[in-house]
């Protein structure tokens, strides 16, 4: 089992889109995938049609854990963590042991890949859920998403993950409203790759793609060459990307 963390310091830069895409592709490749929605507003779950409670609210209401937060949708396990953003700072640590045991057993039995769709600027010990994932002792890869404005912050952010994530890819995603200055973006990606080769194993630019806008893996069969190559680079540890 491995985990791909999709991370970034900004909202609206493609974390959910990429996470859903990777989850869907891996699933089509025959892998058992768990999509973990760590967005406080559960946007990815919503896209997949998971409108039920999140794990932390199950705990808070004393409901059986994973009875409502974990669903099987379109051949994916979808685990929603938050359904009430106001609860995110509550301390659930007393219950962590039990959750961890159950989560561990589900993952060990049935899951090849975890895709973590994270909230902005999440850190390995940000909250109880991240701490639980850290304790699972699985190999982790990180896709660090950035737009052209947030590259420097993304580099700093990736450094905070240096010891927790083995293989890291920097992605400059050309999301709106950034002007489509592709050659500039490619230049920046190359510079980052050359100057931070200890930190990032690969760096790549993903262009704005009309078909990716409002991507929903259940509704649309859609493939993007760049996203495929990011995924393959993770699976096979390629260090250079086109
Ligand atoms: N490369 C891209 N081309 C076109 N649209 C994109 C691209 N990347 C992201 N988007 C769109 O940008 C918006 C924000 O993406 P989202 O994945 O929700 O970001 P985040 O999870 O980081 O907040 C969505 O509407 C998404 O479809
Ligand atoms: Mg998101």
């Amino acid at each position: 089992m491995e985990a791909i963390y999709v991370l970034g310091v900004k909202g609206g830069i493609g974390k959910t889109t990429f996470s859903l895409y990777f989850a869907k592709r891996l699933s089509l490749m025959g892998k058992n995938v768990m999509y973990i929605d760590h967005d406080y507003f559960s946007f990815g779950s919503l896209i997949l049609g998971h409108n039920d409670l999140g794990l932390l609210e199950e705990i808070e209401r004393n409901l059986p854990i994973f009875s409502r937060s974990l669903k099987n949708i379109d051949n994916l396990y979808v685990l929603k963590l938050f359904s009430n953003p106001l609860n995110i700072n509550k301390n659930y640590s007393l219950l962590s042991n039990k959750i961890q045991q159950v989560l561990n057993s589900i993952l060990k039995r049935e899951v090849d890949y975890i895709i973590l769709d994270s909230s902005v600027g999440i850190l390995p010990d940000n909250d109880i859920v991240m701490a639980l994932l850290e304790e699972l002792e699985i190999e982790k890869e990180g896709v660090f998403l950035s737009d052209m404005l947030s590259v420097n912050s993304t580099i700093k952010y990736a450094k905070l993950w240096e010891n927790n994530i083995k293989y890291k890819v920097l992605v400059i995603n050309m999301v709106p409203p950034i002007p489509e200055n592709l050659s500039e973006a490619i230049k920046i990606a190359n510079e980052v790759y050359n100057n931070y080769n200890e930190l990032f194993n690969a760096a790549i630019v993903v262009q704005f793609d009309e078909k990716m806008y409002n991507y929903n893996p259940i509704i649309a069969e859609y493939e993007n060459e760049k996203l495929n190559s990011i995924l393959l680079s993770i699976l096979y540890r390629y260090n250079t990307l086109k």
Side-chain angles (χ1 to χ4, degrees):
M1 189 183 29
E2 287 176 37
I4 301 175
Y5 284 15
V6 182
L7 303 161
V9 289
K10 267 183 92 171
I13 52 167
K15 294 184 298 301
T16 297
T17 307
F18 279 51
S19 299
L20 292 174
Y21 187 90
F22 293 150
K24 179 69 179 183
R25 294 310 306 165
L26 285 166
S27 167
L28 289 173
M29 288 162 78
K31 309 289 185 195
N32 290 324
V33 180
M34 182 182 284
Y35 169 84
I36 299 185
D37 189 354
H38 190 290
D39 183 339
Y40 300 138
F41 293 95
S42 316
F43 197 54
S45 300
L46 199 66
I47 290 172
L48 293 170
H50 182 336
N51 300 314
D52 213 331
L53 292 180
L55 175 63
L56 296 196
E57 278 67 55
E58 276 173 350
I59 295 166
E60 186 184 53
R61 298 192 197 180
N62 265 321
L63 298 166
I65 48 174
F66 302 119
S67 61
R68 295 175 61 174
S69 58
L70 180 62
K71 304 213 183 283
N72 201 309
I73 300 172
D74 194 33
N75 211 22
L76 300 172
Y77 289 100
V78 180
L79 177 60
K80 176 176 177 174
L81 298 182
F82 308 103
S83 47
N84 180 358
L86 299 176
N87 276 342
I88 56 179
N89 290 322
K90 287 201 182 150
N91 187 350
Y92 292 96
S93 58
L94 285 176
L95 293 142
S96 67
N97 250 352
K98 193 174 163 209
I99 304 170
Q100 186 167 9
Q101 274 170 21
V102 181
L103 184 59
N104 230 331
S105 78
I106 297 172
L107 292 172
K108 283 217 173 99
R109 252 184 305 137
E110 336 208 7
V111 174
D112 302 314
Y113 281 92
I114 293 173
I115 305 290
L116 179 77
D117 178 5
S118 69
S119 38
V120 167
I122 192 87
L123 291 169
D125 55 0
N126 242 46
D127 56 42
I128 187 66
V129 179
M130 294 309 295
L132 289 180
L133 287 173
E134 277 309 297
E135 280 177 39
L136 289 175
E137 287 182 6
I138 44 177
E139 198 165 304
K140 279 160 235 141
E141 289 87 36
V143 176
F144 289 84
L145 275 170
S146 177
D147 58 12
M148 276 169 72
L149 295 175
S150 58
V151 176
N152 287 332
S153 325
T154 308
I155 294 167
K156 285 185 194 142
Y157 177 53
K159 282 182 184 159
L160 301 175
W161 281 96
E162 204 156 17
N163 299 326
N164 304 75
I165 293 180
K166 258 197 184 165
Y167 184 91
K168 301 184 205 68
V169 184
L170 174 83
V171 178
I172 298 179
N173 192 16
M174 307 280 285
V175 286
I178 305 300
E180 296 226 11
N181 194 346
L182 183 60
S183 58
E184 177 69 11
I186 292 172
K187 198 176 134 219
I188 294 171
N190 286 333
E191 275 169 17
V192 174
Y193 180 64
N194 291 328
N195 296 335
Y196 296 91
N197 56 5
E198 305 274 289
L199 185 62
F200 294 112
N201 301 82
I204 192 169
V205 175
V206 173
Q207 277 182 269
F208 181 81
D209 177 355
E210 203 71 53
K211 285 188 229 127
M212 191 138 84
Y213 199 71
N214 297 326
Y215 171 66
N216 183 329
I218 296 177
I219 292 173
E221 267 298 323
Y222 161 76
E223 280 200 58
N224 180 296
E225 230 174 87
K226 287 284 165 105
L227 293 195
N228 287 349
S229 75
I230 293 167
L231 187 58
L232 291 178
S233 83
I234 290 168
L235 301 186
Y236 301 109
R237 305 287 194 276
Y238 298 146
N239 279 347
T240 43
L241 283 174
K242 288 216 184 88

